Amino acid sequence: MSPEPTVLEVAGELQMASIDRDAFKNVSDVPVDEEQYVLALDQGTTSARVIVFSSESVPVASHQVELNQHYPHPGWVEHDPMELIRACRECIDKVGDKLDAKRIPRKNVKALGITNQRETTVLWDKRNGQPVYNAIVWSDTRTEGTVVRLEQKPNADKVPKICGLHISTYFAAVKVRWILDNVPKAREVYEEGCLCFGTVDSWILYNFTNGARHITDATNASRSMFMNIQTLEYDAELVDFFDVPKLNLPDVVSSSEIYGYFSDDDAAFPSLPISGCLGDQSSALVGHLGFDKGDAKNTYGTGCFLLYNTGNDPVTSENGLLTTIAFQLKGQKPVYALEGSIAVAGSIIKWFRNNLGLIETSEQMSDLAGQVKDSAGVYFVTAFSGLFAPYWRRDARGTIVGLTAYTTRAHIARAAIEATCFQTRAILESMSRDSGVPFHKLLVDGGMSSSAVAMQIQSDILGMEVVRPGMREPTALGAAIVAGLATGVWNDLDHVRSKLQKRRTITSFTGSLTEKERDEQYRMWGRAVEKACGWVE
């Protein structure tokens, strides 16, 4: 769920110029050999990468490793947990070499921050640190039957009120329940009291500290379904509901504090503090400097994720949204957010390329969509694994309606991009109803945001300004910010703003449709959603 490797496919190539030593002197008041830097590890759905940021948010080096995706059965998506760790370590090692090449001293790197795909679930044996099963990825839908059984249990209606989340294939506790019910080895370790649970952040922190810390930050814990969204503690009712009393849960910590020190056998960054952790969507909000109540951003990654900062008080949605943690600084109250999630966004581009062969490169999707002025009445509901917010229809499946003899692949490509944009409007309207505050602009990032065609379509469908930052890596930057706050690179959020805002550039898109045209297209989109729902019996 983090920004990923190719433009439009999942979430976007690194948008940065190579900065040599002399060029960097021109953008900072501090000499290169005295400047402070932070490593940001972005462990996403299809890749792991590390970006090194200066204290003025300038990315000076990066390295990326793509991950293997495992699809054992239709709807199943898995990762090898050990490969995740190897890829992360390789990125850190290689970026050290790149800093050497730029003559930037490694000792000037003051912290490591982690941002990660959320909900993806890893279970391991605490006696040897070995996984008992592959990681089940957030988008995996094998747990549909588990969801049905859980929904029929007594007190199922209380679960969203406690944790802020709907019972869905999306979240970690449901994946844990499936593994315990279907993987004998995991069940055996569980009964022995030795089974550890973690989302990807926990797994990385456990390995990076040589097993010394079994922890998770509040943003990731809020996606587990085990944590009370009010108290930020594990809730006995939830543990009982999912029937996992023997499961070893990670301690919940803040998003910005020193958790330990990077264990690096090759001493690439000896004794480097690991001091920041955020789930990827929370990290993107922080990277957009969305610190204040009312700030909102949308990340167009593998899926699409819109967060709206609601301040220090959680808002319970009456319109199909999720209540989650935006971030929590050490010793401070958590900052909450409303979230709307779209299961399929950038990944539709990969589907066009790999499954249908209609394009050869991801960039061609934008070119195709730009060849026509509209979709010619074609609507594509990209519900490959059901519909997330605000619909929450797991019985929906991918549906294309309105095809005629006039339809070309360009119309279908445009309709595919429009699908994400229509769902974004549905989420924004729900957020407005829940918060009572209308939106006037949307901050965007991720791979699809690199396409001017896509962002113009988004602005047309919303009828509001869409703002894209020049530095396209807010997810990684968010992890760097919380890590740097814990180690003195920045003093506080105001210091972050003052240092980073002066280097921010933006591109703005303004809608060109009339209100009548917008509303008619959105009405037809609603009809298409009705056709897609109820397909799975």
Side-chain angles (χ1 to χ4, degrees), residues 290-433:
F291 307 144
D292 299 323
K293 184 176 181 179
D295 290 336
K297 70 87 198 175
N298 200 12
T299 296
Y300 301 80
T302 304
C304 198
F305 306 91
L306 200 154
L307 258 66
Y308 170 66
N309 184 327
T310 61
N312 295 127
D313 298 311
V315 174
T316 300
S317 176
E318 302 295 333
N319 295 283
L321 302 177
L322 307 174
T323 305
T324 194
I325 305 296
F327 60 91
Q328 184 190 23
L329 302 184
K330 187 175 182 180
Q332 298 184 21
K333 292 182 178 180
V335 174
Y336 291 89
L338 282 173
E339 177 173 342
S341 305
I342 300 168
V344 175
S347 55
I348 191 65
I349 315 303
K350 185 177 181 179
W351 182 79
F352 257 74
R353 186 192 67 189
N354 295 351
N355 293 41
L356 299 188
L358 293 177
I359 55 176
E360 294 181 356
T361 67
S362 300
E363 289 78 4
Q364 289 176 334
M365 189 74 166
S366 181
D367 296 338
L368 263 182
Q371 290 175 10
V372 292
K373 65 178 181 178
D374 55 43
S375 64
V378 175
Y379 292 84
F380 190 166
V381 183
T382 53
F384 292 165
S385 53
L387 287 170
F388 286 178
Y391 310 102
W392 295 109
R393 293 295 298 264
R394 64 176 180 274
D395 61 344
R397 283 297 178 268
T399 306
I400 303 176
V401 298
L403 296 174
T404 67
Y406 177 73
T407 303
T408 68
R409 63 176 184 160
H411 294 117
I412 297 174
R414 189 177 183 94
I417 292 174
E418 288 178 349
T420 297
C421 300
F422 282 126
Q423 290 176 83
T424 296
R425 173 170 171 172
I427 291 170
L428 274 174
E429 290 187 349
S430 294
M431 287 182 170
S432 292
R433 289 192 294 270

Side-chain angles (χ1 to χ4, degrees), residues 116-396:
N116 58 282
Q117 54 172 317
R118 304 171 302 169
E119 299 92 24
T120 296
T121 299
V122 186
L123 297 178
W124 68 93
D125 189 331
K126 70 177 183 180
R127 294 169 295 192
N128 55 26
Q130 294 299 304
V132 297
Y133 193 70
N134 269 352
I136 298 183
V137 176
W138 60 273
S139 58
D140 185 287
T141 59
R142 76 184 70 187
T143 56
E144 288 179 341
T146 304
V147 169
V148 172
R149 289 192 295 274
L150 290 170
E151 287 178 336
Q152 294 171 349
K153 290 185 65 173
N155 299 319
D157 59 327
K158 294 177 64 177
V159 171
K161 299 174 184 177
I162 300 173
C163 68
L165 310 174
H166 298 274
I167 299 175
S168 165
T169 60
Y170 188 12
F171 303 110
V174 179
K175 304 178 194 298
V176 171
R177 186 65 264 161
W178 185 92
I179 293 174
L180 290 176
D181 291 339
N182 292 275
V183 181
K185 180 180 179 181
R187 186 72 197 185
E188 178 183 343
V189 176
Y190 170 80
E191 292 296 347
E192 294 169 346
C194 296
L195 190 64
C196 289
F197 156 77
T199 42
V200 171
D201 61 306
S202 296
W203 177 238
I204 293 172
L205 287 162
Y206 181 86
N207 280 274
F208 277 13
T209 61
N210 271 340
R213 301 300 305 274
H214 183 203
I215 56 177
T216 186
D217 95 294
T219 68
N220 282 291
S222 71
R223 315 300 291 185
S224 68
M225 299 195 81
F226 294 128
M227 190 187 80
N228 186 306
I229 199 69
Q230 300 276 353
T231 66
L232 272 62
E233 296 177 351
Y234 294 120
D235 192 281
E237 286 190 74
L238 294 175
V239 172
D240 181 66
F241 180 83
F242 289 103
D243 192 21
V244 289
K246 296 182 180 180
L247 191 64
N248 292 282
L249 298 170
D251 294 333
V252 180
V253 297
S254 78
S255 307
S256 180
E257 61 181 271
I258 296 178
Y259 312 122
Y261 296 87
F262 181 50
S263 173
D264 183 355
D265 294 337
D266 296 324
F269 294 93
S271 301
L272 181 65
I274 307 171
S275 55
C277 184
L278 289 165
D280 52 8
Q281 302 313 318
S282 292
S283 196
L285 182 65
V286 171
H288 275 293
L289 309 186
F291 307 144
D292 299 323
K293 184 176 181 179
D295 290 336
K297 70 87 198 175
N298 200 12
T299 296
Y300 301 80
T302 304
C304 198
F305 306 91
L306 200 154
L307 258 66
Y308 170 66
N309 184 327
T310 61
N312 295 127
D313 298 311
V315 174
T316 300
S317 176
E318 302 295 333
N319 295 283
L321 302 177
L322 307 174
T323 305
T324 194
I325 305 296
F327 60 91
Q328 184 190 23
L329 302 184
K330 187 175 182 180
Q332 298 184 21
K333 292 182 178 180
V335 174
Y336 291 89
L338 282 173
E339 177 173 342
S341 305
I342 300 168
V344 175
S347 55
I348 191 65
I349 315 303
K350 185 177 181 179
W351 182 79
F352 257 74
R353 186 192 67 189
N354 295 351
N355 293 41
L356 299 188
L358 293 177
I359 55 176
E360 294 181 356
T361 67
S362 300
E363 289 78 4
Q364 289 176 334
M365 189 74 166
S366 181
D367 296 338
L368 263 182
Q371 290 175 10
V372 292
K373 65 178 181 178
D374 55 43
S375 64
V378 175
Y379 292 84
F380 190 166
V381 183
T382 53
F384 292 165
S385 53
L387 287 170
F388 286 178
Y391 310 102
W392 295 109
R393 293 295 298 264
R394 64 176 180 274
D395 61 344

Side-chain angles (χ1 to χ4, degrees), residues 460-530:
D460 288 341
I461 287 173
L462 293 177
M464 70 174 67
E465 184 183 17
V466 171
V467 179
R468 183 179 69 190
M471 205 289 290
R472 310 284 179 81
E473 301 301 329
T475 302
L477 179 58
I481 287 171
V482 291
L485 282 168
T487 55
V489 175
W490 298 285
N491 300 327
D492 51 33
L493 295 180
D494 287 338
H495 188 207
V496 171
R497 284 192 186 94
S498 67
K499 291 284 284 186
L500 273 56
Q501 281 183 332
K502 64 183 179 181
R503 296 198 50 77
R504 291 169 68 85
T505 59
I506 63 169
T507 301
S508 179
F509 300 86
T510 304
S512 59
L513 298 181
T514 66
E515 183 177 359
K516 182 178 180 180
E517 290 171 331
R518 267 196 318 274
D519 291 347
E520 177 59 19
Q521 288 186 12
Y522 189 57
R523 184 184 71 82
M524 293 299 292
W525 162 259
R527 290 188 62 199
V529 169
E530 291 175 2

